Amino acid sequence: MIRFNEDRRRLLQALGATAALGSTSLLSGCATTGQGKTIGRVVVIGGGFGGATAAKYLRKWSKGTIDVVLIERQSHFISCPTSNEVLAGHRKYETLVHSYDALRKNWGVKVIQAEVTGVDPVRHTVSTDKGEVIPYDRLVVSPGIDFNFGAVAGYDAKARESILHAWKAGPQTLALRQQLEDLRDGGTFVLSIPKAPYRCPPGPYERTSQIAHYFKTHKPKSKILVLDANDKIISKTKLFADNWAEDYKGIIEYRPNWNATEVDAASRTLTSEIGDKVRGDIINLIPPQTAGQIAHQAGVVNANNRWADVNWITLESTAVKDIHVLGDATLSAPTMPKSGHMANQHGKAAAAAIFETFSGRTPQPITMANTCYSLVDHRRAIHVDSVHRWDAEKKTVVPVPGSGGVSTAPSIEEGLYARAWAQNIWADSLG
Amino acid sequence: MKAFATPLLGCCLLAAAQLAGATETPRPTPYFAANCFNCHGTEGKVNSAIPAIAGRDREYLAEALKAYKAGTKPATIMHQLAKGYTDEELAILADYFSRQK
C-alpha cells in the first residue's frame, strides 16, 4: 500500500515550499516553525483526547514541518473523565471545560470550529458546514462515539428531553445534576448500562458510587437501581462490589443481565428484553454506541457496522487508505478499553506513524498503555491499568502477560493521583 | 546537535563524550516515552501529586523502574505498568527522562 503520494512528494521536494500543498488560501497563515519546509498536511476531525493529542504531537515531533488542521464542532473541549464527580457535586463543571488556544499558540495547530459534512477519500478533501473544502495528505478521524437511540424503543427526541444519558460531557451533565438536586429524599435513581463495548467501561460503576455518595450525605433515604445489560460489573469488578457493600449498603441495588429495550418517558418506566418493568424518579439511560457519524460517512466503519478496524501500528483504517482512526471509534484491540487515556495513546501512535511515513521511514510498532482511575467517594479512588504490545503473529496489540492490574483497595492517595491524572492528561492533550 | 565538522574531530568528541558517561550521538525519538506523559506531564514535566520525572538522575530512574518491575519497590500503579516493558526499554526511558530539562 502506498503510504504517501510519491508524485506529491517529488513535487514538494522540487518546489521545497508550502506552496505545493497550499492549494487553498485557508492555510496560508498556518505556522511552520521549521525552516518553512512542509513535508505533508494532516487534517484531524475531532478535538477530543485522540484528535487533540494527534494534532499536538504531529506538530511537536515534526518540528512544525507537518501542517495540521484540527476541525472540531464545539468551541471548547469538555472532559468526560471526572464528569461523574460533577454529578455528585464533588467538582465544578467549569473544570471540565478547556480551550483549544494552547494548541494554536504553543503548537501552531490551525483549529477550526466547524461541523464536517463530508470526506472525499479519492480527492483527499474534507468539507465543512462553513463551505470550506480542506485538502489532506493524511486524515485523522477521531469522532468518539454516537448513540444508537434506535436500539431502545421510545428513546426519541421528545423522550430525550427528560431521559438523559449524560454520556457525553456537556449540557447533559448539568441537566442530570439538576435532576439529582431536584430529587426528593426517598426517590429512586435508575441507571441503565448497555452491553459492552461502550465508552469508558468503569464509568457507569463510578457514576453509581459517586451518586451513592451524594445520596448518603444529602438524601439518605434515596436509592440507586443499576440495570446492567452485562452479566456482571465489567471493570474493577471486586473493587466496586466491595465499595458498594461496605460504603453504600442499602443504597445500591445491582441487577445484571438487565437489557433495557424500551423506555416510556412519561411514566419514567424501562422495559427489559424479557418484559421486566422498572419505574424510577430519574432514569439515566445510556444507550448502545457506535463510532461517531463522520466515521460512518468516511467509510471506515467496517466492523459490525459499528466500529472502525485499524492497523494497530499506524492506526490507519483497514478500509480506506490514508485515513487514520483513533479512540472510541475503533474496533478495540483485545482487552483494550474505550478510554480517553487510550485515545491519547492512539493519537501519539498515529502522529509518530504519520511523521515517520512523511519522512520516508517505515513506522514501527509502539507499545501503548492505559490508566483509568475511578473516584468512589469525594476523595478515594481505585484504578485499572494495562500495557498493550504489538504481536506480529496475531497482527494486533495484546496485553503484556503479567503486566497491568487494579488497586488493592480504594485510597486517598489514589484519589490525589486521580485528580492529578486529569489535570496532566488535559495538559498533555491540549497544552 | 549539529554534525561534527570533520570525521576525525567527531571521533575524538564522541570518545570523550562516552568517557564522560554522556551520549551525544543523534538517536531516534523513543516515541513510546510519550506513554508516560499522560500522567507525568509532557516530557515528564509537571507539578502535581504525580511526580515529575524530567531531569532526574538517570541511575535513580533506571533503578526505580527496575525495582518496580521486580516488585521490590512499593507502588500503587508503577509496579503493574513497569512489567509491560522490557529491561532495555526501561533503560531507554530512564535515559530519556534524565535528559529532559
Side-chain angles (χ1 to χ4, degrees):
Chain A
M1 196 185 296
I2 296 166
R3 298 279 168 186
F4 185 66
N5 186 318
E6 280 302 322
D7 291 340
R8 241 177 154 174
R9 188 205 296 282
R10 274 186 220 107
L11 183 66
L12 273 176
Q13 283 167 345
L15 296 178
T18 45
L21 282 170
S23 49
T24 69
S25 59
L26 186 69
L27 288 165
S28 54
C30 191
T32 46
T33 56
Q35 293 76 46
K37 199 178 74 176
T38 300
I39 60 170
R41 169 181 291 169
V42 178
V43 173
V44 181
I45 302 174
F49 284 103
T53 301
K56 169 176 167 175
Y57 281 86
L58 279 162
R59 295 289 297 168
K60 178 174 162 62
W61 281 332
S62 77
K63 298 189 164 53
T65 62
I66 296 176
D67 277 345
V68 179
V69 180
L70 173 65
I71 309 171
E72 164 58 48
R73 60 186 167 194
Q74 293 183 173
S75 63
H76 289 76
F77 170 100
I78 307 173
S79 179
C80 280
T82 74
S83 66
N84 282 331
E85 294 171 64
V86 174
L87 298 177
H90 295 148
R91 174 185 277 276
K92 283 192 163 56
Y93 175 79
E94 289 69 27
T95 65
L96 309 181
V97 182
H98 297 270
S99 162
Y100 290 107
D101 284 350
L103 284 182
R104 294 185 176 100
K105 286 182 197 149
N106 298 348
W107 301 104
V109 175
K110 172 104 179 172
V111 184
I112 297 173
Q113 190 187 347
E115 176 105 27
V116 172
T117 51
V119 172
D120 186 334
V122 177
R123 291 197 175 129
H124 279 59
T125 56
V126 172
S127 45
T128 75
D129 62 347
K130 305 262 164 68
E132 295 155 315
V133 178
I134 306 167
Y136 66 82
D137 296 313
R138 292 292 177 125
L139 178 64
V140 175
V141 177
S142 190
I145 47 121
D146 268 335
F147 297 111
N148 181 9
F149 290 108
V152 185
Y155 210 178
D156 55 23
K158 179 83 176 69
R160 298 205 288 270
E161 289 171 12
S162 60
I163 308 294
L164 305 174
H165 54 76
W167 214 242
K168 286 186 184 183
Q172 289 241 343
T173 310
L174 291 168
L176 186 57
R177 172 64 191 162
Q178 192 60 52
Q179 288 187 351
L180 285 160
E181 282 181 15
D182 294 344
L183 183 73
R184 70 187 165 86
D185 189 9
T188 300
F189 175 89
V190 177
L191 173 62
S192 172
I193 305 171
K195 275 203 177 94
Y198 57 81
R199 161 177 283 179
C200 190
Y205 313 112
E206 180 193 57
R207 177 170 294 184
T208 301
S209 291
Q210 284 295 302
I211 292 172
H213 186 265
Y214 171 65
F215 285 171
K216 187 177 177 177
T217 50
H218 291 81
K219 295 173 181 175
K221 292 181 206 143
S222 306
K223 305 272 184 247
I224 302 175
L225 181 53
V226 182
L227 306 175
D228 195 340
N230 301 288
D231 62 0
K232 62 173 190 301
I233 298 169
I234 63 164
S235 179
K236 307 172 190 171
T237 310
K238 186 173 185 304
L239 288 161
F240 278 117
D242 289 351
N243 170 238
W244 297 351
E246 287 163 21
D247 297 311
Y248 305 122
K249 199 169 169 53
I251 296 176
I252 299 168
E253 182 188 339
Y254 177 78
R255 293 187 198 166
N257 298 308
W258 212 103
N259 187 24
T261 51
E262 190 181 342
V263 61
D264 181 64
S267 64
R268 295 188 299 276
T269 303
L270 286 174
T271 306
S272 79
E273 60 192 339
I274 56 165
D276 288 348
K277 285 187 188 297
V278 161
R279 214 203 133 269
D281 296 297
I282 299 174
I283 305 284
N284 180 197
L285 175 49
I286 305 169
Q289 296 150 32
T290 178
Q293 193 269 333
I294 195 64
H296 286 266
Q297 199 172 327
V300 296
V301 176
N302 57 350
N304 305 325
N305 198 30
R306 277 183 85 185
W307 311 110
D309 186 38
V310 296
N311 170 326
W312 283 104
I313 297 176
T314 61
L315 280 296
E316 190 176 1
S317 163
T318 58
V320 186
K321 154 179 172 342
D322 296 340
I323 300 183
H324 301 249
V325 189
L326 311 180
D328 297 347
T330 59
L331 174 68
S332 304
T335 77
M336 185 181 275
K338 296 187 184 299
S339 71
H341 193 105
M342 209 69 246
N344 168 298
Q345 301 268 290
H346 294 174
K348 288 167 180 166
I354 292 169
F355 175 54
E356 289 295 293
T357 304
F358 283 179
S359 303
R361 296 184 292 266
T362 303
Q364 301 300 311
I366 298 172
T367 297
M368 293 183 247
N370 184 66
T371 295
C372 172
Y373 288 100
S374 301
L375 270 292
V376 298
D377 54 31
H378 59 308
R379 58 181 188 162
R380 292 180 307 151
I382 53 180
H383 79 265
V384 60
D385 66 275
S386 52
V387 183
H388 305 259
R389 180 181 291 272
W390 175 253
D391 183 317
E393 250 173 55
K394 293 177 182 152
K395 290 191 166 48
T396 186
V397 284
V398 297
V400 179
S403 74
V406 296
S407 311
T408 48
S411 71
I412 294 171
E413 183 182 7
E414 291 213 65
L416 294 168
Y417 292 155
R419 287 179 168 140
W421 170 88
Q423 286 297 136
N424 297 350
I425 196 171
W426 292 332
D428 185 47
S429 303
L430 297 152
Chain B
M1 182 143 209
K2 295 284 179 226
F4 297 109
T6 71
L8 185 63
L9 182 58
C11 284
C12 296
L13 282 175
L14 188 58
Q18 277 166 346
L19 281 174
T23 47
E24 292 291 334
T25 44
R27 68 202 101 185
T29 308
Y31 293 115
F32 77 100
N35 289 6
C36 312
F37 299 177
N38 298 37
C39 299
H40 291 280
T42 303
E43 305 296 2
K45 297 172 193 172
V46 81
N47 180 5
S48 75
I50 300 171
I53 48 177
R56 300 196 65 181
D57 181 73
R58 181 169 58 89
E59 207 174 339
Y60 168 76
L61 290 176
E63 288 304 318
L65 287 170
K66 265 196 268 183
Y68 286 136
K69 186 176 176 180
T72 55
K73 185 172 165 66
T76 55
I77 191 166
M78 280 306 300
H79 60 304
Q80 297 163 347
L81 290 170
K83 290 186 178 76
Y85 300 88
T86 64
D87 294 349
E88 190 194 1
E89 286 170 337
L90 294 180
I92 290 170
L93 291 176
D95 178 59
Y96 182 85
F97 286 105
S98 73
R99 287 185 290 106
Q100 306 307 314
K101 304 297 176 201

